[in-house]
Amino acid sequence: MLRFNIRGENIEVTDALRDYTEKKISKIERYFNKELTNVDAHVNLKIYSDRSAKVEVTVPLSNIVLRAEETSQDMYGSIDLVADKLERQIRKYKTKVNRKIRRENLSRPEAIDPDLWDSDVPALDDNSKDDGDVSSSIVRIKQVDLKPMSPEEAVLQMDLLGHDFFIFEDAETEGVSLVYKRHDDQYGLLET
């Protein structure tokens, strides 16, 4: 059973909005094992100054993290879109698990991921294509030399290259880090 943590930014989370969000996002519970309990679903509802509505949902599980965000001109529409996106992610993941089971001839699918295994729920057909489906095959391998630099230098290097992210060795911590450009044109830093 999902436990919801619903926050609102620039919007009051009314009972009607909370109920609608819980009803729509709860539909993904059918993909979980019946024994799976107390999974947290973090939902962030946000209204921007241009009146667009953004919904972000994060559901951390033991082996994967489900995360989706959608923006539209209507909060309820954004909730519908993000619920559909989460369901597509789960079905896509289950399809990959099924392929792995067939490929490795595993008799116990629970060994792959007990959280998302419910044999009553179908995976995507092997021939089905999802709009915006990204192939999971690796089409290019690139080797990089990590150079020690500060995060600010890494952002500058990323902008000069015209990339959305840049991996580097943090000169201060000597660990591998990654800077990335966010949707709001700000920057993020991932540290290992």
Side-chain angles (χ1 to χ4, degrees), residues 2 51 63:
L2 287 174
R51 308 307 263 162
N63 293 340

Side-chain angles (χ1 to χ4, degrees), residues 147-153 168-177 191:
K147 297 182 177 151
M149 60 180 71
S150 70
E152 292 77 19
E153 290 173 289
F168 66 101
E169 180 183 335
D170 192 316
E172 186 176 314
T173 65
E174 297 181 358
V176 176
S177 296
E191 297 176 325

